[in-house]
């Protein structure tokens, strides 16, 4: 008998305010420390999975193109983990990003949150709990566990596959914080985040970072709970620069910042001196995430456009968690 089972899910990417950089375990993506993120409303991946026992192997389509390279292999390896516990049949998978690929916006976070959810939705049985889905997303890409939830999310690091899960701290309507992602450079990364995690894990500064992180995490959670941007912003900038200090001084070293990155970081600090409450964070790349209150977003956008004309800016608010729906791609 031929069986075909289809499911579709959409998930938003997220920006880490406290970073996941360094792993305790590389198979299950168990992090060295907890992290905290905001889900990003405007950076969405939609994925359809069809389990199909008439296929001889997986067929993976990303942004409309069949992929046969490492990206397709990563998806197939991931599906193997689901197959080990559930259906043993091949799958046809299609995935579309709302944002252009290769811009440095983390597509693995939204990508694996959507893939995990679509894969389970396609089984046509009761979905696992949200907590269990954070485990499944994390096994694909660590940061993806935070994209299962909307709003503000904490990844409780745990020490094993069973206890490393993500929880929602506040929903997407809790605080109308904005993250304007400024696409400073589209140059491909010299060092992937997977490689970066390995370099970070053996970095001599990592022990000191682990000692000071619990206090920073507590203060960051307090600042989110109080919707206190001045406190949050100071913590988040320190955190981003600390991560980049580890990146820049690792073996091999990763210099993700470009001239445009630094130009914008200095401008943000100058605007703040001027009285505009605006802060930055960075991912493993040159793009700048500019954080401000919604009422200041038009002014912040105008200043960025004046400083660096022509750059794309993607303005996010806190986005929703992953959702299953019927707008199938296949
Ligand atoms: C700098 O989640 O992409 O964005 O688990 O190997 O897939 P893998 O890594 P990934 O790492 C994200 C690193 C970061 C910080 C963060 O999102 O917390």
């Amino acid at each position: 008998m031929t069986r075909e089972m289809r499911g579709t899910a959409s998930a938003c990417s997220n920006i880490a305010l406290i970073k996941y950089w360094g792993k305790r375990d590389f198979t299950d993506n168990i992090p060295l420390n907890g992290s905290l993120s905001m889900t990003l409303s405007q950076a969405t991946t939609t994925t359809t999975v069809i389990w199909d026992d008439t296929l001889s192997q997986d067929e993976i389509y990303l942004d409309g193109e069949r992929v046969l390279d490492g990206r397709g292999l990563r998806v197939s390896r991931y599906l193997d983990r689901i197959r080990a516990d559930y259906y043993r049949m091949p799958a046809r998978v299609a995935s579309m990003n709302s944002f252009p690929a290769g811009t440095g916006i983390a597509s693995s976070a939204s990508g694996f949150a959507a893939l995990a959810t679509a894969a389970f939705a396609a089984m046509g049985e009761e979905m696992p709990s949200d907590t269990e889905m954070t485990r499944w997303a994390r096994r694909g890409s660590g940061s993806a566990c935070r994209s299962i939830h909307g709003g503000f999310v904490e990844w409780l690091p745990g020490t094993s596959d069973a206890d490393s899960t993500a929880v929602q701290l506040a929903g997407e309507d809790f605080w109308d914080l904005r993250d304007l992602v400024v696409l400073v450079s589209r140059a491909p990364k010299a060092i992937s985040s997977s490689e970066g995690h390995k370099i970070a894990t053996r970095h001599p500064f990592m022990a000191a970072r682990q000692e000071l992180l619990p206090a920073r995490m507590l203060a960051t959670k307090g600042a989110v709970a109080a919707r206190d941007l001045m406190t949050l912003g100071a913590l988040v900038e320190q955190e981003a620069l600390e991560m980049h200090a580890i990146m820049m001084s690792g073996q091999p070293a990763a210099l993700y910042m470009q001239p445009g990155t630094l130009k914008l970081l200095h401008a943000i600090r100058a605007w703040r001196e001027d009285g505009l409450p605006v802060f930055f964070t960075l991912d493993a790349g040159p793009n700048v995430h500019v954080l401000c209150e919604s009422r200041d977003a038009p002014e912040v956008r105008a200043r960025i456009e004046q400083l660096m004309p022509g750059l794309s800016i993607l303005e996010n608010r806190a986005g929703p968690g992953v959702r299953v729906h019927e707008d199938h791609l296949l």
Side-chain angles (χ1 to χ4, degrees):
M1 188 184 76
T2 300
R3 287 196 289 164
E4 192 186 82
M5 303 134 98
R6 181 168 65 165
T8 297
S10 293
C12 298
S13 187
N14 67 77
I15 178 66
L17 304 176
I18 298 291
K19 308 293 184 181
Y20 154 50
W21 199 241
K23 303 187 197 189
R24 177 189 289 269
D25 177 280
F26 286 79
T27 306
D28 291 323
N29 297 323
I30 310 303
L32 285 179
N33 55 265
S35 52
L36 192 159
S37 61
M38 177 172 122
T39 304
L40 298 178
S41 64
Q42 299 309 112
T44 305
T45 303
T46 297
T47 300
T48 296
V49 173
I50 300 178
W51 298 110
D52 182 348
D53 62 7
T54 65
L55 294 174
S56 58
Q57 56 174 349
D58 294 330
E59 279 178 23
I60 319 289
Y61 299 84
L62 297 181
D63 288 322
E65 304 256 325
R66 175 128 190 227
V67 290
L68 298 158
D69 58 10
R71 293 170 303 163
L73 199 66
R74 187 171 175 189
V75 171
S76 273
R77 289 281 159 280
Y78 179 69
L79 294 176
D80 286 344
R81 296 193 66 163
I82 298 182
R83 281 190 279 255
D85 290 358
Y86 297 90
Y87 298 108
R88 291 181 200 281
M89 58 180 102
R92 187 175 287 122
V93 177
S95 194
M96 300 282 280
N97 289 321
S98 71
F99 48 95
T103 52
I105 297 175
S107 58
S108 73
S110 52
F112 278 96
L115 176 64
T117 306
F120 279 91
M123 292 176 192
E125 290 165 18
E126 200 184 325
M127 289 294 287
S129 66
D130 283 357
T131 303
E132 180 60 7
M133 287 314 300
T134 71
R135 290 191 189 96
W136 275 109
R138 189 240 308 134
R139 293 167 191 143
S141 176
S143 54
C145 72
R146 299 185 309 237
S147 280
I148 295 295
H149 298 297
F152 296 85
V153 182
E154 182 178 4
W155 178 2
L156 305 166
T159 54
S160 69
D161 187 56
D163 63 2
S164 188
T165 58
V167 294
Q168 187 181 56
L169 297 175
E172 59 262 42
D173 298 325
F174 175 72
W175 186 9
D176 195 5
L177 189 66
R178 297 296 165 95
D179 173 9
L180 282 70
V181 188
V182 184
L183 303 179
V184 168
S185 162
R186 287 167 193 254
K189 286 186 206 179
I191 295 184
S192 69
S193 11
S194 297
E195 193 53 33
H197 280 289
K198 289 190 191 136
I199 300 166
T201 302
R202 58 176 187 255
H203 196 292
F205 296 175
M206 200 41 105
R209 171 164 164 76
Q210 295 308 316
E211 267 180 42
L212 54 83
L213 268 175
R216 188 181 296 155
M217 175 62 99
L218 209 60
T220 304
K221 282 165 74 170
V224 170
R227 299 186 192 89
D228 175 354
L229 178 60
M230 296 310 284
T231 303
L232 180 72
L235 291 160
V236 162
E237 286 197 1
Q238 188 185 23
E239 169 67 4
L241 293 174
E242 187 175 293
M243 180 176 73
H244 276 259
I246 288 175
M247 291 163 166
M248 284 191 268
S249 54
Q251 292 282 353
L255 192 56
Y256 291 115
M257 291 188 206
Q258 294 290 336
T261 315
L262 269 178
K263 184 174 173 181
L264 189 49
L265 302 196
H266 281 288
I268 287 167
R269 293 197 155 179
W271 297 337
R272 209 152 67 221
E273 292 287 299
D274 245 22
L276 186 65
V278 56
F279 295 85
F280 64 80
T281 186
L282 302 160
D283 250 337
N287 298 327
V288 182
H289 290 250
V290 184
L291 302 172
C292 64
E293 299 273 5
S294 55
R295 63 172 173 273
D296 295 319
E299 173 67 18
V300 169
R301 180 188 276 275
R303 290 198 192 193
I304 298 167
E305 280 165 357
Q306 197 188 10
L307 181 78
M308 302 169 90
L311 293 186
S312 300
I313 302 173
L314 190 68
E315 183 172 339
N316 296 275
R317 55 180 73 209
V322 69
R323 57 248 170 247
V324 173
H325 57 81
E326 302 287 314
D327 293 327
H328 303 294
L329 299 178
L330 290 168

